[in-house]
Amino acid sequence: MKILLLDKNHPLITEQLLAKGFILEEDFTSTYDEVCNKIKNYDGIIIRSRIPLDKNFLEQAQNLKFIARVGAGMENIDIPVAEKLGIQLINSPEGNRDSVAEHVVGMLLIIMNRLFIASQEVKNGIWKREENRGDELLGKTVGLIGYGNMGKATAKRLSGFGCKVIFHDILPGLEDEFATQVTLEELKESAEVLSLHIPLTSETRYLIDETFISEMKNDFYFVNTARGKNVQTKSLVEALRSGKVKGACLDVLEYEKSSFEHLEIENEDLQYLLGSEKAIVTPHIAGWTHQSKEKLAQFIVDKIVGKFAS
């Protein structure tokens, strides 16, 4: 099988697939149109986020048997068209679930205990104790929306902090020893921390908006390591200003490019987040550890070999 690699990933992908007899070609620079013109020559494609695989692209991929995305989200692919054409879809959410979970915990500890603020103050010669009194995770009810790989890994860690973890998911029967499955209404009634672990779909786009926030009974901390467009930023900023949201931990932003490489919009809401002590913002790195880079690649290789190696 001839496979096109469109994005740079861990070298084990190339090493191991070549060893299994696959033919590989790397192309990290061609434009969308240039790749479209040659995609019919390949049996498989391995991607991250650089080029969208839309209806036009897929219809020109006449011999494509699989698309493998090194990561979790698949919104860059026209999934209904791919399925209609019989193209198998492969991803590797198992590879960065642990790094995402650790990032969630890390951001919560930083914002709830004012660690970054206090550290910067001391470095600038300011010594404040009462003003930097923290808020404990112990005993908090944490509500997760989405209970796949990322949600489960996060629940496992937060349960170790003595949190009561609840979750809502569109699939039934996912409850385990780390978290209790509830309705969305029950989650809104109880949660003191809210963390998103959902894909970006038509149903989840701007799920967190003014209405959703107003329906939360408690003032709460908010974490988003999922997708930026799961959240309506303007509504989140208004809730931070009012105190309804006590702190926001954002690894993803509504204003990111689809490639996740940089921001494409700057406005007053973004400037508020970047300047506020009540918000932590990181550049889409929750799943971006040295270990996850290797694990993401290994899961992809194992799945390709398992399905297509002769």
Side-chain angles (χ1 to χ4, degrees), residues 213 220 234-246 278:
I213 292 170
F220 64 100
K234 183 172 290 294
S235 299
L236 176 62
V237 167
E238 290 171 358
L240 283 165
R241 290 183 188 276
S242 72
K244 180 68 177 180
V245 172
K246 298 163 76 172
K278 297 170 70 175

Side-chain angles (χ1 to χ4, degrees), residues 26-299:
E26 296 178 343
D27 185 347
F28 305 146
T29 58
S30 288
T31 65
Y32 169 89
D33 289 333
E34 289 168 340
V35 177
C36 277
N37 289 336
K38 66 177 183 178
I39 192 58
K40 63 181 180 294
N41 300 320
Y42 299 93
D43 302 294
I45 186 169
I46 300 176
I47 65 168
R48 283 200 64 88
S49 305
R50 187 169 69 87
I51 288 179
L53 275 56
D54 56 13
K55 183 174 186 289
N56 172 64
F57 184 101
L58 295 173
E59 288 178 342
Q60 296 187 55
Q62 299 160 8
N63 297 302
L64 205 61
K65 297 174 180 62
F66 74 84
I67 299 165
R69 179 166 190 273
V70 185
M74 305 285 273
E75 71 272 11
N76 221 30
I77 304 165
D78 192 324
I79 293 175
V81 171
E83 291 176 342
K84 182 179 178 182
L85 294 172
I87 301 170
Q88 290 201 40
L89 300 177
I90 301 168
N91 65 343
S92 54
E94 308 92 340
N96 61 354
R97 61 189 172 194
D98 296 312
S99 60
V100 168
E102 290 190 12
H103 200 88
V104 170
V105 174
M107 288 198 295
L108 281 171
L109 292 173
I110 287 170
I111 203 156
M112 293 174 69
N113 293 283
R114 297 177 60 86
L115 299 181
F116 182 75
I117 297 166
S119 176
Q120 288 299 111
E121 287 177 351
V122 174
K123 289 180 178 181
N124 289 317
I126 301 167
W127 189 272
K128 294 181 179 179
R129 298 185 68 219
E130 186 58 38
E131 294 87 346
N132 285 310
R133 194 179 285 274
D135 192 7
E136 295 180 4
L137 266 172
L138 177 67
K140 294 282 193 297
T141 297
V142 179
L144 310 178
I145 301 183
Y147 206 63
N149 281 279
M150 314 302 177
K152 290 177 181 177
T154 301
K156 183 176 181 179
R157 284 155 180 81
L158 288 172
S159 65
F161 277 82
C163 297
K164 177 184 178 182
V165 186
I166 59 177
F167 71 90
H168 174 71
D169 196 286
I170 59 174
L171 298 177
L174 299 180
E175 185 169 319
D176 57 23
E177 68 267 37
F178 302 116
T180 302
Q181 189 158 7
V182 298
T183 66
L184 192 56
E185 290 69 31
E186 289 171 320
L187 185 146
K188 291 176 182 176
E189 181 73 17
S190 301
E192 299 164 278
V193 178
L194 177 65
S195 185
L196 301 187
H197 302 277
I198 50 179
L200 181 62
T201 67
S202 57
E203 289 77 25
T204 65
R205 184 179 293 268
Y206 300 129
L207 174 68
I208 307 303
D209 59 8
E210 182 180 2
T211 300
F212 189 106
I213 292 170
S214 70
E215 290 171 349
M216 293 286 288
K217 179 181 178 181
N218 301 310
D219 295 347
F220 64 100
Y221 295 97
F222 178 68
V223 187
N224 189 13
T225 54
R227 289 291 183 262
K229 288 184 172 61
N230 293 139
V231 180
Q232 192 176 74
T233 307
K234 183 172 290 294
S235 299
L236 176 62
V237 167
E238 290 171 358
L240 283 165
R241 290 183 188 276
S242 72
K244 180 68 177 180
V245 172
K246 298 163 76 172
C249 305
L250 306 173
D251 182 55
V252 290
L253 291 166
E254 178 184 355
Y255 313 122
E256 287 179 74
K257 284 184 66 68
S258 59
S259 64
F260 310 136
E261 289 303 313
H262 56 79
L263 297 173
E264 60 180 354
I265 296 172
E266 292 192 21
N267 57 27
E268 289 182 6
D269 293 324
L270 176 62
Q271 290 307 313
Y272 174 84
L273 292 175
L274 298 183
S276 174
E277 289 188 347
K278 297 170 70 175
I280 295 174
V281 184
T282 53
H284 206 128
I285 56 169
W288 209 250
T289 59
H290 296 291
Q291 292 81 6
S292 71
K293 182 176 182 179
E294 181 173 348
K295 287 189 283 187
L296 284 166
Q298 191 64 64
F299 275 107

